[in-house]
Amino acid sequence: MAAHFGRRLRKGAATTAVAAAAVAALSASQAPGATGDDHGRQATAGASAPVPDPTGDDATGSSPYYTDLPPLNSPNPSPSPSAGTPVAQGAAEAGIPATVLDAYKKAEAELRASKPGCNLPWQLLAAIGKVESGQARGGEVDASGTTLRPILGPVLDGNGFALIKDTDHGAYDGNAQYDQAVGPMQFIPSTWAWAGRDGNGDGKKDPNNIYDAALAAGHYLCRGDRDLSQAADLHGAILGYNNSQDYLNTVLSWMEYYSKGTYSVPDGTGAAPGHRSDDGTPRTTPSTPAEPADPHQGKPGSKDQGGRPSPSPTPSKPGGGQAGGDPAPRPPGTPDPTTPTPTDTVDHLENAGTGTAELTATAGDAFTGTISTRAETKAGAAVAKVRIRFTISGDTDATFTGGEDVATVATDSKGVAKAPALQAGEKTGDFKVTATVVGRSLKGVDYQATVTERPADTLTATTNGDTPLTCTPGGEFADQVQLKATYKGAVADKVAATATLIKSATDATENDKGPYFKDATTGKAVRTLTGLKTDTKGLLTLPKLYADDTTGTFLLRVTTPGGGTLTVQLTVAADGTATASPSPSPSASAGS
């Protein structure tokens, strides 16, 4: 890879300092539209050394990528050329196929709305798309954004590449023995299983569709609390996509290039890259004759190994040799695919000390407990470097940090994988987190968790101070009852409340006469209201109260989770002296 990187720069009559300068310039202006003069952010030209993705689940499985660098001259945006019209190199490189460019910009817009703190620029997606697939082979996509031919990376069988045994039964890559990176953004199946998105609204999550793949890449890059306007987070996100220093530098160079100006070109007319990090050398051969290939398929320097999923290779000898032939040579340092991987040695998963009490949180709060799972052999020994997938299920809106409901984490030297922190949503109830081994059909470990309602321990009436409400039989109270909720002295916002007109201080059942609320739809009398919530200031104003023809004294009781109770006394009199005031009823709790 290093040789390619240097050779490509020599072709441009430059030195590696040019790439370093591009990276340095980009680091000074990470956010779209930012100037490169200050912002108080500094980064080294070459970026920090690669840092493994904390989830242990990079997007591409560290598959090969295109190493071509952008032209040395800045792009000069020009009108889109018509199909077949030759253009100068600089202009061609700056042009991005129309549908592909639209997908990047739509993904940026969705992330700006759903994760504004991430500051994802579409130029980053374009840079990764260029490096991963040459912008979907120069824009070879249909009107919906799906590639005309599958884009598949090499078979990840350990023969010169990472060893990732099949995780999707061939559903995405057509290979039921080993995984392959799939689609224009080159996701491996195990990552697409949780990172996939529906970007074009057709109800499917297809890694071969540029809208789906671009949106998935955006969410993948924006995991956790990353802010991509910060150099450190930007570099970490790119390294998480493919853990290589050269990959980082190449993506940053293209991102900088696109940030200086680009334009759309007709689909299918984009410039195709020609150099790849693995020299474009095919590392696998189908076990059965392949169908006639497209003229553009399998060319030297082409990332994909053919235009359609090929039959899964079925080596008959150690080392990956073909049936009837000698074992294929394996580059030094690459794993033998016939040797059991750490994943193969896992017999079962165990709870690594997570207690049930740790998995309860109030709506809107972060869980304090951490879910930990240990991978073990049959003898109980720890297994390191195994990918554990944590999946949230159940009728709540709880997520992991970053808004995802699936996360993949590699086990450490003690065989333990710790799931990202859980974040409770506003929907209360029970949910489950299940830990499973990626690539194996082993029984998972379930963790039960609960989201409880926001509490308030004190309710205080604030209606008109000491001025009573007035009403006559058959009339309505002049003002509405308002109260304030607090919890441990602090404002209690978004707290659910129930208001009931009760029979007496000792009988909290609903009254069948006296004051009432009106149903908002039918206008009928209602004496119990649920679904009420305090506002951001802890205040709650009840709907108007009405009186029937019954005179006397009545009680309105408001309750909240956490023990907050307020009892309001209502008196309806024929002379119009009805009042509403807090009652010092012994049944009321603090604040009544």
Side-chain angles (χ1 to χ4, degrees):
M1 168 58 212
H4 269 303
F5 199 71
R7 182 169 70 250
R8 181 67 183 85
L9 287 175
R10 285 195 296 274
K11 288 180 65 178
T15 67
T16 53
V18 176
V23 175
L26 179 62
S27 297
S29 58
Q30 298 296 339
T35 60
D37 54 358
D38 56 349
H39 292 284
R41 295 191 290 271
Q42 298 182 4
T44 59
S48 57
V51 178
D53 181 37
T55 66
D57 193 18
D58 66 7
T60 68
S62 295
S63 293
Y65 55 91
Y66 289 117
T67 60
D68 298 57
L69 291 171
L72 299 177
N73 56 304
S74 296
N76 296 310
S78 60
S80 300
S82 59
T85 301
V87 293
Q89 182 192 37
E93 294 291 357
I96 298 176
T99 299
V100 178
L101 180 59
D102 184 56
Y104 296 148
K105 291 186 175 181
K106 279 185 167 57
E108 179 198 56
E110 197 278 341
L111 267 299
R112 291 286 181 186
S114 63
K115 297 183 179 179
C118 179
N119 294 307
L120 172 78
W122 67 261
Q123 290 89 344
L124 173 57
L125 296 176
I128 290 176
K130 180 70 173 182
V131 169
E132 291 296 341
S133 69
Q135 310 298 18
R137 294 198 194 97
E140 290 187 3
V141 296
D142 62 20
S144 68
T146 300
T147 55
L148 301 180
R149 295 171 290 129
I151 301 176
L152 294 174
V155 176
L156 299 176
D157 61 356
N159 189 13
F161 307 110
L163 174 59
I164 303 180
K165 295 187 177 181
D166 176 66
T167 61
D168 66 330
H169 305 291
Y172 295 121
D173 54 15
N175 190 331
Q177 188 171 3
Y178 299 101
D179 273 351
Q180 295 175 250
V182 181
M185 301 303 277
Q186 289 291 277
F187 279 95
I188 55 174
S190 61
T191 301
W192 184 262
W194 63 266
R197 292 292 191 282
D198 176 14
N200 62 352
D202 64 357
K204 297 184 295 183
K205 300 176 182 178
D206 183 2
N208 298 295
N209 182 278
I210 185 59
Y211 287 98
D212 294 359
L215 184 58
H219 277 278
Y220 182 92
L221 294 164
C222 286
R223 287 173 301 160
D225 57 355
R226 282 175 177 158
D227 177 0
L228 300 184
S229 67
Q230 302 292 329
D233 283 358
L234 175 67
H235 296 173
I238 297 171
L239 289 171
Y241 211 90
N242 193 319
N243 190 29
S244 160
Q245 181 70 52
D246 290 330
Y247 181 87
L248 171 65
N249 290 340
T250 305
V251 169
L252 288 175
S253 295
W254 279 108
M255 182 179 170
E256 170 70 5
Y257 181 76
Y258 286 137
S259 71
K260 292 179 179 178
T262 188
Y263 58 93
S264 66
V265 298
D267 291 344
T269 65
H275 300 86
R276 199 173 70 166
S277 60
D278 66 338
D279 294 329
T281 305
R283 304 303 176 104
T284 58
T285 304
S287 58
T288 58
E291 297 181 36
D294 181 278
H296 299 291
Q297 292 173 205
K299 294 172 66 177
S302 163
K303 176 163 182 166
D304 53 293
Q305 307 295 303
R308 50 179 69 84
S310 60
S312 301
T314 53
S316 60
K317 294 183 179 182
Q322 298 303 307
D326 295 326
R330 189 169 58 255
T334 59
D336 184 343
T338 63
T339 301
T341 65
T343 300
D344 294 329
T345 66
V346 178
D347 177 75
H348 60 275
L349 297 177
E350 294 285 348
N351 182 338
T354 303
T356 304
E358 300 174 300
L359 298 181
T360 298
T362 300
D365 290 349
F367 284 76
T368 57
T370 300
I371 293 178
S372 298
T373 301
R374 187 170 189 263
E376 298 182 353
T377 65
K378 191 172 184 178
V383 185
K385 299 181 180 180
V386 174
R387 290 182 296 163
I388 306 299
R389 179 172 295 138
F390 297 93
T391 305
I392 296 174
S393 60
D395 190 24
T396 72
D397 52 357
T399 65
F400 293 113
T401 300
E404 309 293 346
D405 57 11
V406 179
T408 304
V409 181
T411 57
D412 59 19
S413 59
K414 298 180 180 179
V416 175
K418 294 183 179 180
L422 284 168
Q423 175 67 44
E426 293 302 324
K427 195 170 185 180
T428 60
D430 298 329
F431 67 95
K432 180 173 64 176
V433 178
T434 301
T436 56
V437 179
V438 176
R440 293 287 304 279
S441 298
L442 297 175
K443 182 180 179 181
V445 177
D446 291 334
Y447 300 83
Q448 300 297 326
T450 302
V451 178
T452 60
E453 295 181 300
R454 294 172 181 258
D457 56 15
T458 303
L459 301 179
T460 305
T462 62
T463 305
N464 291 341
D466 297 327
T467 304
L469 298 175
T470 61
C471 182
T472 58
E476 65 182 56
F477 289 86
D479 294 299
Q480 296 165 253
V481 175
Q482 186 183 69
L483 56 89
K484 182 175 183 178
T486 57
Y487 182 68
K488 296 182 178 179
V491 168
D493 63 327
K494 299 180 182 180
V495 175
T498 299
T500 306
L501 289 145
I502 60 176
K503 289 185 176 180
S504 70
T506 58
D507 185 354
T509 58
E510 181 182 292
N511 207 340
D512 56 1
K513 58 185 177 181
Y516 60 90
F517 301 105
K518 282 186 179 180
D519 183 273
T521 303
T522 66
K524 293 182 178 180
V526 175
R527 291 186 170 86
T528 298
L529 292 180
T530 59
L532 304 171
K533 278 196 174 182
T534 61
D535 63 16
T536 56
K537 296 180 180 180
L539 298 176
L540 172 62
T541 301
L542 300 183
K544 273 195 171 185
L545 278 163
Y546 300 84
D548 61 15
D549 293 333
T550 308
T551 60
T553 300
F554 304 91
L555 297 179
L556 168 67
R557 180 165 292 170
V558 183
T559 59
T560 59
T565 302
L566 176 68
T567 302
V568 176
Q569 181 174 292
L570 304 173
T571 304
V572 179
D575 60 2
T577 59
T579 61
S581 60
S583 168
S585 167
S587 64
S589 69
S592 61

